[in-house]
Amino acid sequence: MKHTLRALRAEAGRYCLEMRRYLMDSVASAFIIILVLVMMLKGMDWAASGMAASTARLTIASSYLAWVFAFRSIQAIALGVYDEVQKGTFEQLYLSPLGVVPILLTRAVLEFVFTLGLVTLVYLAADALAGLGFGSGFGQALGYILAALPGVWGLGLALAGVVLIAKKSGSLLAIVSYAIIGLAAVPGLPLGLMSFLPYSAGASAARAALAGSGGTPSWWPAFTLAAAFGWLAFGFLVWKSAEARARRLSLFGQY
Amino acid sequence: MGALIIGGLAKIYGKGASACRAVDGLSLNLPQGTVLGLLGPNGSGKTTTVKCAASILDYDGGSIAFDGLDPRRNRARYLSRLGAVLEGARNVHWRLGARENMEYFAGLRGMGRKDARGRAAELAARLGLEPVMNTLVGRLSRGNQQRVALACALMHRPQLLLLDEPTLGLDVGSVEAVRSLIPALARDGAAVLVTSHDMHLIEAVCDKVAVVRSGAVIADGSPASLRALFGAHSLRVRVPASGAERMSGMLPGAVRSEDEDGHALFSMQADSATAALELAAAVHRAGVPVADVELGRPSLEDAFKQLVAGQPAKETAR
């Protein structure tokens, strides 16, 4: 246990160090995320008016913020593995007695903490510039996002597995990172087929919380968590299968 | 004292007719406190063997164990004893400093922060990294990057150290540093497995050498015993390309190679200095134009060339 904590602390230390050292990268990301959101909201104001505009604004803004969490989670896990395989450090990561999956999940948790600060900043800035008009359910919405994120981590693990065994998978990774905005926007509420997609149950509930419309059954948090951990388990299985293949074919150091 | 014991290791890539046996029944015994050099031509299975021993490559047959630990069954315990430099400078984070890399990799192997700091300072002094400890690895010279990679692998005081081509692309000073470090690590009690094409390095640092061809060990023993495999004396004759065919006919046991000037270099070994001189005299009598003749003691490189060329040894090395 002591060794595990030390390894996780080392990972956290490296993450903070790189964040601090490449601060401009994070600042530029925050600026672009704010800019895109404000532009989308202004465009919505121009295209529609009244209740329709208000609903569309809410859907777009909440889906976009939910997507930022999902996007950065995928990047932390799958892009992290892609980078390390390309650079040649993945083999050393693999030699850690702790195992790769706990390290990747630590990265995802650290990324969540960072993204929480980023999204709060985006929320405040976009609200000041374009008036988001969210209700008081921001905290509750974040709770739903957090409950649903393990599902995205599962997707990240599955993608990381693909990255291990497929060469030149960078463009696939980029496309999937943007495609997950669909998961943040699909109507996962009320319960239906869409609710079982990764992340959609939590993102839909977060949207409802931000609209102040309530409407989530009392068992929804439990359902969101169960769906998320189901997808996490799926991602873990895909990762293990890809890892076994990569170990058989000597693919850890390919670039 | 533990030992790395590899028994009948087999690794096959592909299936059916296109299957390639990269490692084919390779066996090694490497006790702690010993340096074993793995020598072989490109594609002979050296790196595959090292990767299997590092447990980053699955194998199809045979067994690997260190100190009784099988990496398939006790992976975490096995890895806690293992250090490896597999891709040299590519094994470290270029956007981190030397010290940061060392402390990061030590942490990943479960070392405490205070212990890691002390160990980093100790290794920096030993590897000559003190002036660059706070420099980003991406800004270091190739030699220093390689030293950082080595330091990272040594941070948790591994009992088994795997070094795949540790001096590839290094300048003379850096090679010298690696050359003096490896025996010191063995004296500290580590079992060190080194692969390299640098015969001087292997000869200088290894207690034992295993020559690998087509995925199997074809000879092993101390460097001295391998040197003596084909005789106590060596003869090297350099001839212009025009005389090479005649020489091949005269000296069927010689190993032929080409030098950068287009000359053919024939190396052979003899039991005595007289026998070597007689061979040289026979070449002279045959009227082959000779550019250069060298008589001397056989080097490890001579023995290696003869072994991989399939020449029969006079005796088994020990």
Side-chain angles (χ1 to χ4, degrees), chain A residues 30-44:
Chain A
F31 177 74
I32 289 166
I33 289 169
I34 292 167
L35 191 69
V36 170
L37 181 55
V38 168
M39 279 160 55
M40 284 198 298
L41 292 174
K42 293 288 183 191
M44 199 53 60

Side-chain angles (χ1 to χ4, degrees), chain A residues 6-161:
Chain A
R6 284 172 175 171
L8 298 182
R9 192 172 61 192
E11 193 54 48
R14 187 181 76 92
Y15 180 88
C16 295
L17 201 65
E18 290 205 341
M19 274 290 172
R20 208 174 59 217
R21 189 159 291 156
Y22 301 98
L23 192 62
M24 274 313 291
D25 195 35
S26 311
V27 171
S29 305
F31 177 74
I32 289 166
I33 289 169
I34 292 167
L35 191 69
V36 170
L37 181 55
V38 168
M39 279 160 55
M40 284 198 298
L41 292 174
K42 293 288 183 191
M44 199 53 60
D45 290 345
W46 174 77
S49 60
M51 197 60 195
S54 167
T55 309
R57 280 169 63 95
L58 183 76
T59 304
I60 283 181
S62 56
S63 301
Y64 183 70
L65 292 181
W67 170 75
V68 172
F69 279 105
F71 172 79
R72 294 192 67 100
S73 297
I74 293 273
Q75 297 260 311
I77 298 175
L79 190 69
V81 169
Y82 179 76
D83 261 0
E84 295 222 23
V85 168
Q86 295 280 310
K87 288 175 185 163
T89 49
F90 185 78
E91 287 180 337
Q92 289 297 324
L93 191 73
Y94 199 75
L95 292 179
S96 169
L98 180 61
V100 175
V101 171
I103 294 171
L104 294 181
L105 293 181
T106 303
R107 288 179 184 178
V109 171
L110 291 165
E111 194 62 43
F112 169 74
V113 173
F114 176 79
T115 309
L116 196 60
L118 178 73
V119 164
T120 306
L121 177 72
V122 171
Y123 170 71
L124 293 173
D127 197 31
L129 293 169
L132 279 176
F134 286 167
S136 56
F138 190 63
Q140 196 186 356
L142 286 177
Y144 274 116
I145 294 287
L146 178 60
L149 266 182
V152 180
W153 299 345
L155 273 189
L157 280 178
L159 273 173

